[in-house]
Amino acid sequence: MEVKIDNSFKPKYSDLLDGLKPFKDGFTLANLGPLPDNFPDKGLGEKKVLDYLAPIAIGEATKLDDPLAFAHMDPPTPWITWIMALWNASLNQNLLHPAISPVARDFETKAIDWLCPYFGMNGGHLTPGSTLSNLTALWVARDLKGVKKIVVSEEAHISMKKSANILGLEFETVPCNHDSSINIDLLPPDLSNSCLVLTAGTTAAGAIDNLNIANNAAWVHVDAAWAGPLRISQKHGYLLNGVEKADSISISGHKWIFQPKDSSILLFKNTAEANQSISMSAGYLSSSNIGIMGSRGAIGLPLLATLMAWGKEGLAKRLDGCMTLSDELHSHLLETGVHIFAKPTSGVILWRPKDPYSADEIFLRLPAGSASLTTISGERWIRHVAANPNMEIDLLCSEITAAFGY
Ligand SMILES: Cc1ncc(COP(=O)(O)O)c(C=O)c1O
């Protein structure tokens, strides 16, 4: 029996999920103690491993749908994606080989086709994260357009510096305006050998660079990992005006499209041309391998399922709801008289207390998971990110007031 994979255990999916509830109250399913120190000689068996791991993996995990969760760019995920992730794990499709992923490829293409028109792009592919999407876009820029240098704002994501190192490109940073958006007056005059990277939603402050600028760059990439999905919203889509001028765009699925890790969307204006420069063939492959990943899973399935389940309206409503939450927090902070970094543009809000308090000190008094800390130009800021539509802003406001001892 043990030489085969025994999948005869078929719990009802809903039973597994119902099992999570008691863990939230600190209850452990089977008090088996700490994990074994060493790789066991004899297997413990799948069911016992569930008993070991559930109280830890689920019971002790951060709950991103908590009413106070407001700290990071990581959203709670809708249950439709849990089912799709389970299907993916059980089917284990590999998009590298069309023969063993006949429909999985179509799901990805369909989801990309639905999203492209919002961004003026005509195709692309999914990657496991926007670090990889950015690296791939810059790889295309180098090999297709002979780009020698990456030009980014000082507040661009670290994946740009990583990409420059990996691809052997020069790296130049441009100072930012007071709100962390790129200061376009300080762009180098000649970008003809450069890839200009603009950010739609900087990691620390959520700032959106001016995407509408005229420039002579050899390639323009927009890192819209965070704020990209706002383009779907009729109310907030204008914030990304100009994005359609880009040659490539990265958007994280696992941020504001509420996807499980690992999900990022890489789009190109001219996909056929871009793909040529990042495709490789090998004798064992029946079609070219496009991009950095070799084997890769069907992450298009949960994405497609979410887009279908919610529609444009449903996704936009959740994003608009998140934006309202950050506006409400901003109003509350204005009343409390703390220093505010800037009016939030994409649901990220930074503040710090006035003397005699420090940001670090007040941060420690806030509930875990409600805030993070960031440093901009040497100054410490308390940071909130509106990634959780389920959060309760009044609760957070009273926690902030309580942190000052009022
Ligand atoms: C603006 C921006 N770009 C890129 C990334 C990298 O994305 P990932 O963590 O999916 O690799 C992030 C992550 O926070 C980000 O905020």
Side-chain angles (χ1 to χ4, degrees):
M1 193 62 180
E2 280 191 5
V3 293
K4 296 195 174 171
I5 291 178
D6 174 12
N7 282 338
S8 54
F9 176 59
K10 290 210 182 328
K12 271 213 229 135
Y13 191 68
S14 56
D15 289 347
L16 282 177
L17 294 176
D18 283 348
L20 307 188
K21 203 162 185 307
F23 305 146
K24 283 192 177 151
D25 305 322
F27 170 81
T28 56
L29 180 70
N31 204 358
L32 295 184
L35 296 178
D37 281 338
N38 299 311
F39 185 0
D41 288 329
K42 258 177 99 52
L44 306 174
E46 282 88 342
K47 286 184 198 162
K48 194 163 181 190
V49 169
L50 271 188
D51 276 353
Y52 259 118
L53 292 184
I56 306 166
I58 299 171
E60 293 178 20
T62 304
K63 304 297 181 300
L64 296 172
D65 61 349
D66 187 274
L68 280 168
F70 219 51
H72 296 283
M73 291 177 161
D74 300 274
T77 49
W79 65 261
I80 184 82
T81 63
W82 310 343
I83 309 268
M84 298 300 127
L86 188 74
W87 287 3
N88 274 347
S90 65
L91 296 168
N92 209 18
Q93 309 277 284
N94 186 353
L95 272 76
L96 182 61
H97 302 297
I100 57 164
S101 56
V103 284
R105 286 182 159 220
D106 297 343
F107 296 145
E108 176 166 322
T109 308
K110 178 72 75 186
I112 286 183
D113 286 350
W114 286 353
L115 293 171
C116 270
Y118 290 92
F119 300 91
M121 301 289 120
N122 79 355
H125 64 269
L126 300 185
T127 77
S130 289
T131 296
L132 280 189
S133 290
N134 288 337
L135 173 60
T136 314
L138 294 163
W139 175 19
V140 174
R142 186 193 69 177
D143 286 8
L144 193 65
K145 299 289 173 185
V147 155
K148 302 269 181 295
K149 192 199 277 187
I150 302 177
V151 176
V152 295
S153 91
E154 279 170 349
E155 285 299 320
H157 188 256
I158 51 168
S159 51
M160 300 306 162
K161 185 83 196 280
K162 284 187 197 173
S163 301
N165 290 348
I166 294 168
L167 295 168
L169 297 171
E170 291 168 49
F171 187 74
E172 182 173 341
T173 56
V174 179
C176 286
N177 300 310
H178 70 276
D179 65 349
S180 270
S181 62
I182 194 166
N183 185 337
I184 55 171
D185 296 334
L186 300 179
L187 282 176
D190 181 9
L191 291 166
S192 57
N193 274 334
S194 304
C195 173
L196 173 64
V197 176
L198 299 169
T199 308
T202 57
T203 314
I208 299 182
D209 289 343
N210 184 344
L211 308 178
N212 238 330
I213 44 169
N215 67 78
N216 56 358
W219 188 269
V220 176
H221 175 68
V222 175
D223 177 3
W226 169 245
L230 284 180
R231 192 72 174 155
I232 312 289
S233 155
Q234 282 194 358
K235 193 166 167 201
H236 296 107
Y238 76 92
L239 289 167
L240 281 96
N241 280 354
V243 72
E244 65 286 347
K245 292 184 184 171
D247 296 293
S248 54
I249 304 173
S250 306
I251 303 157
S252 283
H254 57 219
K255 293 188 170 70
W256 246 351
I257 315 187
F258 304 93
Q259 291 304 291
K261 307 280 178 306
D262 303 282
S263 177
S264 170
I265 303 152
L266 171 61
L267 302 177
F268 294 106
K269 171 144 282 151
N270 185 338
T271 309
E273 195 184 50
N275 284 351
Q276 270 172 24
S277 58
I278 51 167
S279 292
M280 305 226 173
S281 304
Y284 70 97
L285 292 175
S286 63
S287 67
S288 331
N289 175 201
I290 300 167
I292 293 172
M293 302 295 291
S295 295
R296 62 190 190 94
I299 47 176
L301 179 59
L303 177 61
L304 186 79
T306 308
L307 299 180
M308 285 175 76
W310 289 357
K312 288 172 213 162
E313 219 178 81
L315 177 56
K317 268 190 188 154
R318 285 162 178 96
L319 295 172
D320 294 344
C322 287
M323 292 287 275
T324 303
L325 290 171
S326 77
D327 286 345
E328 287 173 1
L329 180 57
H330 178 241
S331 306
H332 173 78
L333 290 169
L334 281 176
E335 279 167 28
T336 50
V338 295
H339 292 291
I340 296 175
F341 180 76
K343 192 170 183 302
T345 40
S346 69
V348 181
I349 177 155
L350 310 181
W351 62 278
R352 61 189 161 84
K354 291 193 172 153
D355 288 343
Y357 301 105
S358 71
D360 287 63
E361 187 185 354
I362 294 295
F363 169 76
L364 289 175
R365 297 185 197 170
L366 293 173
S370 66
S372 47
L373 277 172
T374 193
T375 305
I376 298 184
S377 306
E379 259 172 355
R380 299 284 273 167
W381 296 93
I382 294 172
R383 170 178 176 261
H384 301 281
V385 182
N388 171 19
N390 295 6
M391 78 88 57
E392 289 172 26
I393 207 72
D394 292 345
L395 266 184
L396 179 58
C397 293
S398 28
E399 291 289 349
I400 290 174
T401 307
F404 287 96
Y406 304 142

